[in-house]
Amino acid sequence: SLKASLINTYETSSDVKNNSVESFLELLKTGARDSESLAGKSVMGDMAESLLFSHSVHIPLTHMFLPLNYNGMFMFSELWIGKEYEESSGKKGNTGYQQSYKVFVTFDIQSLGYFETTLTLKDSNLALDIYVPGNLSEYIEKIKNDLNVLLSKNNLNVTNMTVQESVKKRKFNEVFSNLTERKSGIDVTI
């Protein structure tokens, strides 16, 4: 399964050891694999799934939590993916809604600090807002130039890109503007 694969990949590639995380992952893996009770297996499997993926009927976002190891650097990453709709005026005064997709990614690299990225895709146009830790603020222009080169090599049309120092960790409800109007509703999309 995908969740077991993510846990196993993390465990086998990680050179950085975190005893609490290691013990917790071992507990989940052992419980889901070796529990004699079907209910115990189910609970451990559901717990692993809820750590990695969550979708709530009250919050119309897909959420993923991933412990990662990239080139020996241990990090936790969270992703929120959602749709937003903006009212738009069409020809002849018709009012419609224009759909866009938004991805909010956060990751905290053990030796570097906290990063945030917001990607917004609307009509095949991509906008990026990137926040880097204060200790990288002197490299902001280099980061922006390197990203422009990388994105243009991959034929991505970036209409707006900002790279700036992260002064405050934002929460997902600060990034997705459509959440406040849906507090009392239920998301029934499949």
Side-chain angles (χ1 to χ4, degrees), residues 8-81:
N8 290 335
T9 300
Y10 165 75
E11 285 182 327
T12 57
S13 68
S14 180
D15 294 333
V16 178
K17 296 298 177 200
N18 181 323
N19 291 335
S20 298
V21 172
E22 297 296 325
S23 297
F24 183 65
L25 292 176
E26 186 60 34
L27 173 73
L28 290 177
K29 189 166 69 172
T30 303
R33 184 186 59 221
D34 299 336
S35 179
E36 293 182 20
S37 154
L38 286 177
K41 283 184 179 185
S42 177
V43 166
M44 291 300 174
D46 289 347
M47 192 179 300
E49 183 174 324
S50 70
L51 282 173
L52 298 172
F53 306 101
S54 77
H55 186 80
S56 166
V57 295
H58 296 288
I59 299 175
L61 304 174
T62 300
H63 175 244
M64 290 179 254
F65 173 79
L66 301 170
L68 301 172
N69 183 336
Y70 177 73
N71 290 337
M73 290 188 287
F74 178 74
M75 70 178 94
F76 286 103
S77 178
E78 284 190 88
L79 288 85
W80 287 268
I81 304 166

Side-chain angles (χ1 to χ4, degrees), residues 166-180:
S166 177
V167 292
K168 162 188 172 290
K169 289 184 180 183
R170 295 182 300 164
K171 296 180 178 159
F172 70 91
N173 58 346
E174 295 173 297
V175 174
F176 291 91
S177 60
N178 64 334
L179 295 181
T180 54

Side-chain angles (χ1 to χ4, degrees), residues 60-124:
L61 304 174
T62 300
H63 175 244
M64 290 179 254
F65 173 79
L66 301 170
L68 301 172
N69 183 336
Y70 177 73
N71 290 337
M73 290 188 287
F74 178 74
M75 70 178 94
F76 286 103
S77 178
E78 284 190 88
L79 288 85
W80 287 268
I81 304 166
K83 296 178 191 175
E84 291 194 339
Y85 299 91
E86 291 180 12
E87 200 171 315
S88 63
S89 297
K91 293 180 180 176
K92 301 179 184 175
N94 295 338
T95 301
Y97 290 93
Q98 188 173 27
Q99 179 176 304
S100 63
Y101 294 91
K102 189 178 277 190
V103 179
F104 179 50
V105 182
T106 66
F107 48 98
D108 199 348
I109 300 176
Q110 199 169 35
S111 60
L112 288 177
Y114 180 77
F115 294 80
E116 285 184 1
T117 301
T118 305
L119 299 93
T120 306
L121 180 65
K122 185 190 315 183
D123 294 333
S124 73

